[in-house]
Amino acid sequence: MADDVEQSISATVKEPVDLIKLSLDERIYVKMKNDREITGRLHAYDQHLNMVLGEVEETITTIEIDEETYEEVYKTTKRSIPMLFVRGDGVILVSPPLRTTANI
Amino acid sequence: MCGTLSSVDQYLNLKLKEVTVNDGEKHPHMLSVSNCFIRGSVVRYVQLPADEVDTQLLQDATRNEAEKNVSR
Amino acid sequence: MKFRYFINMAALESYVNHTVGIITADGRHFVGTLKGFDQSLNLILDDSHERVYSTTQGVEQVVLGLHIIRGDNVVIVGEVDEAIDSRIDFSKIRAEPLPSIVH
């Protein structure tokens, strides 16, 4: 069973971006520059990794130094965006939904 | 910053009409500007009106585009 | 081959000889008359000044005259509505200076 899945994936995935094709209409995770992360449903992408995502949640992580202890405090802020175009040059990594990666 | 998109070119440079700035208090620079040109390379995101996007069409177009790139 | 960044020449044609506001990659704001531009978004601004924003005092306007701005640094070119612009009381405007563009 696992071999079948592996075979069908290796038949369709010839280059890295083909893996993204399998994620169309699935929720994906995108790591962006500037400590930003996005999850959303993938509607479109191109060879630059420009993407259109729906039902997006963006998480921005900032580091603040505690004034008394000088400890680094990680602060995350989240925001929701119904439909978002993402420019490809800010993308660091794209992760397909867990279901497909678990089968490989 | 937000506005009505009037045109996009092949570099994703944007031309906006009837521009309004989301937080005009904090960014008064564009108070007197209604039309503007934004260099494509500085754009991180474009927020779109979700109900005006045909997601099925986008997905089909993406698959077609991906096919084309394979045969190339 | 070196990557070149070209713009559609029609894009800024309609702004020529109009007052424009330019925001640059380092967050500065210039205002002047757009006299010309090229495909790399290099701009020629006449009668230009820089508007320096501060949270503690009004906008300081630094007169610069004829200026060329290199296209790489241009972020936004905005067409200024002079009627609205002339009504703004810049001595009353307070704002954080804009941050630089981060890529």
Side-chain angles (χ1 to χ4, degrees):
Chain A
M1 177 60 200
D3 281 354
D4 288 352
V5 175
E6 203 171 310
Q7 285 237 309
S8 70
I9 288 179
S10 62
T12 45
V13 180
K14 291 206 170 56
E15 55 174 18
V17 284
D18 290 345
L19 194 62
I20 302 178
K21 187 163 72 182
L22 300 177
S23 309
L24 274 169
D25 208 25
E26 307 271 2
R27 284 195 76 81
I28 60 166
Y29 164 85
V30 185
K31 187 175 167 69
M32 301 277 297
K33 291 181 179 174
N34 290 312
D35 300 315
R36 288 162 190 261
E37 296 160 289
I38 293 174
T39 57
R41 186 172 299 279
L42 182 65
H43 293 306
Y45 69 89
D46 65 13
Q47 66 270 39
H48 308 292
L49 296 192
N50 294 323
M51 291 181 276
V52 176
L53 301 171
E55 303 141 54
V56 177
E57 183 171 84
E58 184 196 29
T59 309
I60 307 168
T61 307
T62 49
I63 303 175
E64 284 177 16
I65 310 283
D66 189 293
E67 285 188 15
E68 283 165 17
T69 62
Y70 295 104
E71 276 179 62
E72 291 182 351
V73 185
Y74 290 86
K75 221 181 85 184
T76 59
T77 45
K78 286 181 195 276
R79 60 172 175 163
S80 299
I81 302 145
M83 189 64 68
L84 188 68
F85 166 87
V86 178
R87 192 178 159 91
D89 64 358
V91 173
I92 294 175
L93 74 85
V94 179
S95 170
L98 282 175
R99 185 173 54 77
T100 51
T101 49
N103 284 335
I104 293 175
Chain B
M1 296 182 192
C2 83
T4 312
L5 187 62
S6 78
S7 71
V8 182
D9 69 12
Q10 66 269 44
Y11 307 103
L12 296 179
N13 293 322
L14 311 174
K15 276 188 95 173
L16 301 183
K17 281 181 179 163
E18 291 150 46
V19 181
T20 53
V21 178
N22 293 344
D23 189 349
E25 282 282 300
K26 202 175 167 199
H27 307 294
H29 314 69
M30 307 293 277
L31 272 178
S32 54
V33 172
S34 57
N35 304 327
C36 75
F37 172 95
I38 302 177
R39 192 179 163 88
S41 61
V42 302
V43 173
R44 181 183 292 130
Y45 304 135
V46 181
Q47 300 195 26
L48 306 168
D51 46 354
E52 287 172 39
V53 177
D54 184 341
T55 56
Q56 196 57 52
L57 189 71
L58 275 178
Q59 288 169 22
D60 293 345
T62 303
R63 288 196 181 91
N64 289 339
E65 200 61 34
E67 291 290 307
K68 256 199 287 178
N69 288 333
V70 168
S71 58
R72 213 178 274 158
Chain C
M1 197 183 97
K2 213 175 150 194
F3 177 71
R4 301 262 191 103
Y5 186 93
F6 291 152
I7 63 160
N8 182 351
M9 288 300 281
L12 290 178
E13 206 64 64
S14 62
Y15 297 170
V16 170
N17 285 324
H18 284 68
T19 304
V20 290
I22 313 296
I23 293 179
T24 55
D26 58 0
R28 295 200 285 174
H29 186 202
F30 299 96
V31 178
T33 310
L34 184 65
K35 281 299 182 187
F37 65 98
D38 65 14
Q39 55 193 5
S40 307
L41 206 56
N42 298 319
L43 306 173
I44 300 177
L45 283 190
D46 202 1
D47 301 321
S48 65
H49 57 267
E50 179 179 354
R51 290 182 181 164
V52 183
Y53 293 81
S54 141
T55 48
T56 51
Q57 54 181 21
V59 177
E60 185 189 346
Q61 307 216 30
V62 183
V63 177
L64 300 167
L66 185 66
H67 250 54
I68 297 175
I69 302 180
R70 191 176 150 84
D72 297 356
N73 305 304
V74 173
V75 172
I76 298 179
V77 182
E79 191 180 20
V80 171
D81 185 325
E82 289 179 61
I84 301 176
D85 201 59
S86 60
R87 283 202 297 272
I88 299 175
D89 182 355
F90 286 100
S91 66
K92 289 208 170 67
I93 289 196
R94 303 278 187 280
E96 293 265 342
L98 287 176
S100 297
I101 290 286
V102 278
H103 278 290

